[in-house]
Amino acid sequence: MVRLPLALAAALLATSAFAQTDAPAPSTTEKTGVNSVLGVAPSTQDFVTEAATSDMFEIESSKLALERSDDATKAFAQQMVTDHEKTTADLNGLVTGGKVKATLPVAMTDKQQSTLKDLKALQGADFTKRYHSIQVDAHEDAVDLFKRYGDGGEQADLKAWAAATLPHLQHHLDMANGLNK
Protein backbone atom coordinates (compact mmCIF):
# COMPACT_ATOMS: atom_id res chain seq x y z
CA MET A 1 0.00 0.00 0.00
CA VAL A 2 1.33 3.42 -0.95
CA ARG A 3 1.11 6.06 1.73
CA LEU A 4 0.76 9.64 0.64
CA PRO A 5 1.60 12.53 2.92
CA LEU A 6 -1.62 14.06 4.20
CA ALA A 7 -1.01 17.39 2.45
CA LEU A 8 -0.44 15.65 -0.90
CA ALA A 9 -3.53 13.49 -0.49
CA ALA A 10 -5.60 16.56 0.38
CA ALA A 11 -4.22 18.42 -2.64
CA LEU A 12 -5.03 15.53 -4.97
CA LEU A 13 -8.52 15.24 -3.55
CA ALA A 14 -9.10 18.98 -3.90
CA THR A 15 -7.79 18.96 -7.47
CA SER A 16 -10.03 16.08 -8.49
CA ALA A 17 -13.05 17.69 -6.84
CA PHE A 18 -12.29 20.95 -8.65
CA ALA A 19 -11.92 19.17 -11.97
CA GLN A 20 -15.28 17.48 -11.52
CA THR A 21 -17.15 20.72 -10.83
CA ASP A 22 -15.16 23.11 -13.02
CA ALA A 23 -16.89 22.28 -16.29
CA PRO A 24 -19.52 19.55 -15.94
CA ALA A 25 -19.96 17.37 -18.97
CA PRO A 26 -23.47 16.53 -20.07
CA SER A 27 -24.70 13.01 -19.47
CA THR A 28 -24.17 10.51 -22.26
CA THR A 29 -27.89 10.34 -23.06
CA GLU A 30 -28.04 14.12 -23.43
CA LYS A 31 -24.76 14.48 -25.31
CA THR A 32 -25.58 11.74 -27.82
CA GLY A 33 -29.08 13.07 -28.50
CA VAL A 34 -30.91 10.06 -27.11
CA ASN A 35 -32.91 12.26 -24.72
CA SER A 36 -33.88 14.54 -27.58
CA VAL A 37 -35.03 11.68 -29.82
CA LEU A 38 -37.10 10.25 -26.98
CA GLY A 39 -38.40 13.66 -25.88
CA VAL A 40 -36.96 13.17 -22.39
CA ALA A 41 -36.26 16.26 -20.30
CA PRO A 42 -32.59 16.77 -19.48
CA SER A 43 -31.43 16.71 -15.89
CA THR A 44 -31.07 20.12 -14.27
CA GLN A 45 -27.29 19.94 -14.53
CA ASP A 46 -27.43 18.91 -18.19
CA PHE A 47 -29.83 21.74 -18.95
CA VAL A 48 -27.68 24.34 -17.18
CA THR A 49 -24.53 23.10 -18.90
CA GLU A 50 -26.11 22.98 -22.36
CA ALA A 51 -27.88 26.34 -22.02
CA ALA A 52 -24.80 28.11 -20.67
CA THR A 53 -22.35 26.75 -23.24
CA SER A 54 -24.84 27.46 -26.01
CA ASP A 55 -25.05 31.09 -24.87
CA MET A 56 -21.24 31.33 -24.82
CA PHE A 57 -21.07 30.00 -28.37
CA GLU A 58 -23.88 32.25 -29.64
CA ILE A 59 -22.22 35.34 -28.21
CA GLU A 60 -18.73 34.57 -29.51
CA SER A 61 -19.81 33.47 -32.99
CA SER A 62 -22.12 36.47 -33.28
CA LYS A 63 -19.33 38.86 -32.29
CA LEU A 64 -17.37 37.47 -35.22
CA ALA A 65 -20.36 38.03 -37.50
CA LEU A 66 -20.48 41.67 -36.40
CA GLU A 67 -16.98 42.04 -37.85
CA ARG A 68 -17.32 39.92 -41.00
CA SER A 69 -20.84 39.86 -42.42
CA ASP A 70 -23.35 41.84 -44.42
CA ASP A 71 -25.71 44.35 -42.80
CA ALA A 72 -28.66 41.94 -42.42
CA THR A 73 -26.45 39.35 -40.75
CA LYS A 74 -24.87 42.00 -38.52
CA ALA A 75 -28.32 43.11 -37.33
CA PHE A 76 -29.19 39.50 -36.50
CA ALA A 77 -25.81 38.97 -34.81
CA GLN A 78 -26.25 42.06 -32.65
CA GLN A 79 -29.61 40.79 -31.46
CA MET A 80 -28.02 37.40 -30.68
CA VAL A 81 -25.30 39.04 -28.58
CA THR A 82 -27.82 41.19 -26.69
CA ASP A 83 -30.38 38.43 -26.13
CA HIS A 84 -27.89 35.71 -25.21
CA GLU A 85 -26.07 38.00 -22.78
CA LYS A 86 -29.47 38.48 -21.10
CA THR A 87 -30.21 34.75 -20.92
CA THR A 88 -26.69 34.19 -19.55
CA ALA A 89 -27.35 36.75 -16.81
CA ASP A 90 -30.75 35.21 -16.05
CA LEU A 91 -29.34 31.68 -15.79
CA ASN A 92 -26.37 32.83 -13.72
CA GLY A 93 -28.77 34.61 -11.36
CA LEU A 94 -30.84 31.46 -10.86
CA VAL A 95 -27.77 29.36 -10.11
CA THR A 96 -25.70 31.81 -8.06
CA GLY A 97 -28.81 32.98 -6.19
CA GLY A 98 -29.31 29.45 -4.93
CA LYS A 99 -32.65 28.76 -6.61
CA VAL A 100 -31.06 26.15 -8.88
CA LYS A 101 -28.53 23.64 -7.60
CA ALA A 102 -26.11 23.20 -10.49
CA THR A 103 -22.58 24.09 -11.54
CA LEU A 104 -22.13 26.67 -14.26
CA PRO A 105 -19.57 25.75 -16.93
CA VAL A 106 -16.68 28.12 -17.49
CA ALA A 107 -16.01 27.30 -21.16
CA MET A 108 -17.69 26.11 -24.32
CA THR A 109 -17.64 22.44 -25.23
CA ASP A 110 -14.74 21.12 -27.31
CA LYS A 111 -17.10 20.82 -30.30
CA GLN A 112 -18.23 24.45 -29.94
CA GLN A 113 -14.63 25.62 -29.61
CA SER A 114 -13.68 23.66 -32.73
CA THR A 115 -16.62 25.10 -34.68
CA LEU A 116 -15.68 28.61 -33.56
CA LYS A 117 -12.08 28.02 -34.64
CA ASP A 118 -13.27 26.84 -38.07
CA LEU A 119 -15.54 29.88 -38.34
CA LYS A 120 -12.64 32.23 -37.51
CA ALA A 121 -10.76 30.87 -40.52
CA LEU A 122 -13.49 32.04 -42.92
CA GLN A 123 -14.11 35.44 -44.50
CA GLY A 124 -16.74 37.10 -46.68
CA ALA A 125 -19.51 35.03 -48.22
CA ASP A 126 -17.99 31.76 -46.96
CA PHE A 127 -18.11 33.06 -43.39
CA THR A 128 -21.66 34.39 -43.74
CA LYS A 129 -22.99 31.17 -45.26
CA ARG A 130 -21.40 29.04 -42.53
CA TYR A 131 -22.57 31.40 -39.76
CA HIS A 132 -26.15 31.22 -41.06
CA SER A 133 -26.02 27.41 -41.08
CA ILE A 134 -24.55 27.27 -37.59
CA GLN A 135 -27.24 29.62 -36.26
CA VAL A 136 -30.05 27.46 -37.62
CA ASP A 137 -28.52 24.31 -36.11
CA ALA A 138 -27.75 25.96 -32.76
CA HIS A 139 -31.24 27.40 -32.42
CA GLU A 140 -32.92 24.12 -33.43
CA ASP A 141 -30.96 22.49 -30.61
CA ALA A 142 -31.79 25.29 -28.16
CA VAL A 143 -35.52 25.19 -28.96
CA ASP A 144 -35.52 21.44 -28.41
CA LEU A 145 -33.55 21.70 -25.14
CA PHE A 146 -35.70 24.47 -23.67
CA LYS A 147 -38.94 22.81 -24.75
CA ARG A 148 -37.97 19.50 -23.15
CA TYR A 149 -36.91 21.14 -19.89
CA GLY A 150 -39.86 23.54 -19.87
CA ASP A 151 -42.25 20.61 -20.31
CA GLY A 152 -40.65 18.11 -17.94
CA GLY A 153 -37.78 19.67 -16.01
CA GLU A 154 -37.22 18.75 -12.40
CA GLN A 155 -36.60 22.20 -10.89
CA ALA A 156 -39.63 24.53 -10.81
CA ASP A 157 -37.89 27.93 -11.15
CA LEU A 158 -35.65 26.73 -13.96
CA LYS A 159 -38.56 24.97 -15.67
CA ALA A 160 -40.58 28.21 -15.61
CA TRP A 161 -37.62 30.19 -16.96
CA ALA A 162 -37.05 27.66 -19.76
CA ALA A 163 -40.72 27.82 -20.76
CA ALA A 164 -40.70 31.64 -20.70
CA THR A 165 -37.47 31.79 -22.75
CA LEU A 166 -38.62 29.28 -25.37
CA PRO A 167 -40.66 31.74 -27.52
CA HIS A 168 -37.61 34.02 -27.83
CA LEU A 169 -35.47 31.10 -28.99
CA GLN A 170 -38.15 30.06 -31.48
CA HIS A 171 -38.10 33.65 -32.80
CA HIS A 172 -34.30 33.43 -33.12
CA LEU A 173 -34.71 30.20 -35.09
CA ASP A 174 -37.25 31.83 -37.39
CA MET A 175 -34.91 34.77 -37.90
CA ALA A 176 -31.96 32.45 -38.59
CA ASN A 177 -33.99 30.53 -41.16
CA GLY A 178 -34.94 33.86 -42.75
CA LEU A 179 -31.27 34.79 -43.24
CA ASN A 180 -30.96 31.99 -45.81
CA LYS A 181 -33.65 33.46 -48.07
Side-chain angles (χ1 to χ4, degrees):
M1 181 171 159
V2 176
R3 293 192 180 267
L4 295 175
L6 186 57
L8 179 58
L12 287 172
L13 182 60
T15 302
S16 72
F18 178 74
Q20 290 172 3
T21 60
D22 190 30
S27 67
T28 302
T29 55
E30 191 63 34
K31 186 168 49 175
T32 60
V34 170
N35 285 354
S36 180
V37 169
L38 297 176
V40 174
S43 70
T44 295
Q45 183 60 63
D46 282 351
F47 178 80
V48 167
T49 299
E50 298 274 331
T53 59
S54 176
D55 274 351
M56 289 178 208
F57 179 77
E58 287 296 323
I59 292 165
E60 292 307 310
S61 63
S62 294
K63 284 179 179 178
L64 276 177
L66 289 171
E67 300 170 5
R68 300 180 183 198
S69 286
D70 57 62
D71 289 343
T73 302
K74 285 180 181 179
F76 171 83
Q78 183 58 60
Q79 184 163 359
M80 293 308 99
V81 171
T82 301
D83 291 355
H84 287 282
E85 284 177 345
K86 181 185 181 318
T87 56
T88 295
D90 292 346
L91 183 59
N92 287 347
L94 287 166
V95 173
T96 60
K99 288 189 174 189
V100 175
K101 302 290 185 227
T103 302
L104 289 163
V106 295
M108 288 179 266
T109 66
D110 290 344
K111 181 180 177 189
Q112 289 165 328
Q113 290 176 17
S114 175
T115 301
L116 191 61
K117 182 181 175 189
D118 293 344
L119 196 57
K120 286 179 180 179
L122 301 173
Q123 295 288 336
D126 291 337
F127 173 88
T128 300
K129 182 178 178 182
R130 182 72 179 122
Y131 174 75
H132 291 179
S133 174
I134 288 169
Q135 290 304 306
V136 170
D137 291 346
H139 284 97
E140 285 174 346
D141 291 347
V143 164
D144 174 65
L145 178 74
F146 277 69
K147 179 169 183 7
R148 288 185 294 118
Y149 199 87
D151 288 347
E154 60 198 8
Q155 204 286 328
D157 291 322
L158 191 60
K159 184 177 175 178
W161 177 75
T165 304
L166 181 59
H168 301 286
L169 295 172
Q170 183 61 57
H171 178 66
H172 290 176
L173 177 57
D174 295 343
M175 290 171 52
N177 279 318
L179 288 172
N180 293 324
K181 294 180 179 171

